[in-house]
Amino acid sequence: KQEVTQIPAALSVPEGENLVLNCSFTDSAIYNLQWFRQDPGKGLTSLLLIQSSQREQTSGRLNASLDKSSGRSTLYIAASQPGDSATYLCAVRPASGTYKYIFGTGTRLKVLA
Amino acid sequence: GAGVSQSPSNKVTEKGKDVELRCDPISGHTALYWYRQSLGQGLEFLIYFQGNSAPDKSGLPSDRFSAERTGGSVSTLTIQRTQQEDSAVYLCASSLGTGRNQPQHFGDGTRLSIL
């Protein structure tokens, strides 16, 4: 059974720091891994989707890497800003014929001004 | 609209009542998903629609939960005889198709509170 874990559960950093969020999954048979952002009281906003054949994806200050064989992904945020404060979720789509995503419980990030 | 729309945004009801939650997906999106997010828990898959049919209902927690989709568009999630443990945020997502790398686009959710 696929399980997704995110560490740390919460993180507080001063503005301007570079930071790394971690995601691990137990079954390497996946189609893709997706990173989402969730603001309080809101739904999920897709940040980056990494296909199983890819190693990384970049969008602006965000860079996500995927090491499928070791079951790990990282989300790197450069030069953090207070507006980056949110909960970050990773999710994997198993390569098992299902169309659902399996989510981690998220990392709650606070960037201090 | 441009995004996935869910209504109501908040619902408070008494234990034992039935509730209906609505999801209006992005126009043209054939796939629709319901998830549940409980306090301190990750998102839990409930059900998936392709068109009007539901090939995967494996996440529905009990027979009190049901969902339908009509016209390949709007979907309704119904919870009968609500219990306090049903309190959660119910999120709907849609995608353009079921291709393996189609991203899912989420609505803002319905926050359900059972008294």
Side-chain angles (χ1 to χ4, degrees), chain A:
Chain A
K1 178 187 172 186
Q2 177 72 270
E3 293 183 359
V4 181
T5 304
Q6 291 187 247
I7 294 173
L11 182 63
S12 185
V13 300
E15 181 177 8
E17 270 203 11
N18 303 324
L19 57 100
V20 174
L21 307 181
N22 296 293
C23 172
S24 61
F25 47 97
T26 54
D27 187 343
S28 62
I30 63 171
Y31 283 142
N32 63 62
L33 182 146
Q34 199 165 358
W35 282 94
F36 295 88
R37 168 186 173 138
Q38 186 175 31
D39 293 285
K42 297 291 187 180
L44 280 64
T45 300
S46 178
L47 298 174
L48 292 164
L49 184 150
I50 312 176
Q51 299 178 28
S52 61
S53 59
Q54 298 174 327
R55 297 285 293 184
E56 66 178 339
Q57 283 286 327
T58 298
S59 176
R61 295 182 293 108
L62 304 179
N63 176 277
S65 67
L66 175 64
D67 184 343
K68 197 174 69 163
S69 61
S70 68
R72 294 183 182 184
S73 176
T74 62
L75 179 66
Y76 175 82
I77 303 177
S80 59
Q81 303 171 357
D84 295 330
S85 299
T87 296
Y88 290 81
L89 296 158
C90 73
V92 298
R93 182 167 172 180
S96 60
T98 181
Y99 298 101
K100 64 188 177 187
Y101 276 88
I102 309 296
F103 283 82
T105 52
T107 293
R108 192 170 62 255
L109 173 66
K110 187 169 185 179
V111 181
L112 305 170

Side-chain angles (χ1 to χ4, degrees), chain B residues 26-33 50 69 93-99 101-105:
Chain B
I26 293 172
S27 178
H29 280 198
T30 59
L32 186 147
Y33 311 79
Q50 175 57 40
R69 189 179 185 195
S94 69
S95 63
L96 189 57
T98 56
N101 291 310
Q102 285 288 348
Q104 295 184 9
H105 302 268

